Amino acid sequence: MTLLDGKKLAEEIKLEIKAEVDQMLASGKRAPHLAAVLVGQNPASKAYVSTKIKFCEDVGYGSTLITEDENVTEERLLSIIDDLNQNDAIDGYIVQLPLPRHIDEERINLAIRPEKDVDGFHPMNFGKMAQGMEAFLPATPYGILEMLRRYQIPTEGKHCVVLGRSNIVGGPMSILMSRKGYPGNCTVTLTHSKTRDIGGELRRADIIIAAIGIPGYVKADMIKEGAVVIDVGINRVQDASKKSGFGLTGDVDFAQIKDKCSFISPVPGGVGPMTVTALMLNTLKAAKKIH
Ligand code: GUN
């Protein structure tokens, strides 16, 4: 079994990005600039956003963090988005999800200018992605593609089973793995809560992408010998051995399946670091388009 070391890959890509930023600065251009909008006090959202800002600092990007109170109005958020859309000093931005219940996420998403939508959530980018056109790919699927590419994992003609149909991970991932090209050219099965026999589907998979948010869901008897397993789950579970009292665990039972699969991404240290890296690659792309 080979461990898909997302942390190490992310460090490598970080150096590549930094070299590109240095080149941009040397040729008289400004550094790429990412903005993030964070609403409320959700601890996971705060942690994700600070990781993104820290990454910006590490590679030499400019960054802007806009924080708003939990009670912010939708009109106020739309006005922030309008400013970001028009501000030429900002190449790309994200609105961290989830938003409070009184805010219509769909309306917010539609207001983001597609050229600055480095999360790749706007239907314009999603549609282009689905048609194989140049687009910002959503960060987690993009990070997974980069992981498959850099570990040179063959995908052509393989049977890929995706677990979960979210707009952010499972949905786009199923499209990307079936697209022409590499990584891609898979036969894809997209499974979800209404799938009759998830175990039966998984047992036929050469590549499994697990994104359902249930800790340890995928067990050894659900996978075939030599499968490639990408674990997207980031589940907070109680862990008395940790100072904080909790730890992170994935959607697959790592201890059970590690000796049965050919490749596996660990949690933490697998897909997570690749997601942030992919967002930074999108920001670089956004900046290059403008300059
Ligand atoms: N919440 C969880 N994942 C993401 C993400 O990739 N982008 C944004 N904006 N919010 C998220």
Side-chain angles (χ1 to χ4, degrees), residues 109-132:
N109 189 26
L110 284 168
I112 297 173
R113 202 173 128 195
E115 293 85 354
K116 293 193 176 195
D117 169 37
V118 285
D119 256 334
F121 292 170
H122 190 284
M124 175 72 89
N125 281 311
F126 197 100
K128 285 184 170 179
M129 179 267 306
Q131 294 192 12

Side-chain angles (χ1 to χ4, degrees), residues 45 48 52 94-98 119 121 139-140 168 275:
S45 291
Y48 287 140
K52 292 167 187 176
I94 62 153
V95 178
Q96 189 66 29
L97 304 177
D119 256 334
F121 292 170
T140 302
I168 298 182
T275 295

Side-chain angles (χ1 to χ4, degrees), residues 234-255:
I234 302 182
N235 307 293
R236 277 163 76 108
V237 288
Q238 287 194 335
D239 182 346
S241 72
K242 295 262 158 62
K243 214 166 71 185
S244 60
F246 73 89
L248 293 179
T249 190
D251 288 349
V252 309
D253 191 328
F254 185 89

Side-chain angles (χ1 to χ4, degrees), residues 32-288:
H33 195 116
L34 175 74
V37 181
L38 174 64
V39 179
Q41 302 293 328
N42 179 321
S45 291
K46 281 167 85 170
Y48 287 140
V49 169
S50 59
T51 305
K52 292 167 187 176
I53 299 290
K54 165 83 169 50
F55 199 122
C56 285
E57 287 163 6
D58 290 351
V59 293
Y61 287 5
S63 64
T64 299
L65 173 59
I66 300 167
T67 54
E68 284 294 326
D69 188 81
E70 167 94 43
N71 299 317
V72 66
T73 62
E74 196 168 292
E75 263 43 55
R76 164 100 183 120
L77 264 190
L78 287 169
S79 141
I80 291 170
I81 287 173
D82 195 36
D83 289 346
L84 290 168
N85 284 344
Q86 293 184 44
N87 186 343
D88 287 342
I90 286 168
D91 300 304
Y93 68 92
I94 62 153
V95 178
Q96 189 66 29
L97 304 177
L99 291 169
R101 286 158 65 115
H102 67 280
I103 308 279
D104 181 350
E105 270 184 18
E106 220 170 88
R107 195 164 168 221
I108 297 296
N109 189 26
L110 284 168
I112 297 173
R113 202 173 128 195
E115 293 85 354
K116 293 193 176 195
D117 169 37
V118 285
D119 256 334
F121 292 170
H122 190 284
M124 175 72 89
N125 281 311
F126 197 100
K128 285 184 170 179
M129 179 267 306
Q131 294 192 12
M133 295 163 73
E134 181 67 26
F136 291 119
L137 304 182
T140 302
Y142 184 13
I144 294 170
L145 292 186
E146 210 46 43
M147 184 176 244
L148 294 170
R149 194 185 339 259
R150 288 179 184 244
Y151 275 91
Q152 299 176 2
I153 294 173
T155 59
E156 187 171 310
K158 303 288 183 190
H159 184 196
C160 173
V161 176
V162 179
L163 207 46
R165 57 179 160 183
S166 72
N167 284 339
I168 298 182
V169 185
M173 204 62 228
S174 66
I175 294 169
L176 289 163
M177 293 304 277
S178 64
R179 283 197 330 184
K180 283 184 184 159
Y182 177 77
N185 283 330
C186 284
T187 304
V188 176
T189 302
L190 179 58
T191 65
H192 46 75
S193 55
K194 300 287 185 272
T195 300
R196 287 219 187 98
D197 177 16
I198 290 184
E201 301 296 343
L202 287 176
R203 274 187 288 279
R204 282 194 292 278
D206 302 304
I207 301 171
I208 293 172
I209 297 170
I212 45 165
I214 302 175
Y217 179 85
V218 180
K219 304 284 183 201
D221 64 355
M222 293 175 168
I223 75 162
K224 95 176 162 195
E225 195 78 42
V228 175
V229 181
I230 308 289
D231 190 352
V232 188
I234 302 182
N235 307 293
R236 277 163 76 108
V237 288
Q238 287 194 335
D239 182 346
S241 72
K242 295 262 158 62
K243 214 166 71 185
S244 60
F246 73 89
L248 293 179
T249 190
D251 288 349
V252 309
D253 191 328
F254 185 89
Q256 249 195 35
I257 71 171
K258 68 179 184 352
D259 297 322
K260 201 172 176 187
C261 52
S262 56
F263 291 90
I264 185 166
S265 69
V267 177
V271 172
M274 293 305 289
T275 295
V276 189
T277 306
L279 175 68
M280 299 299 149
L281 288 170
N282 276 344
T283 306
L284 185 64
K285 195 161 135 186
K288 281 182 173 170

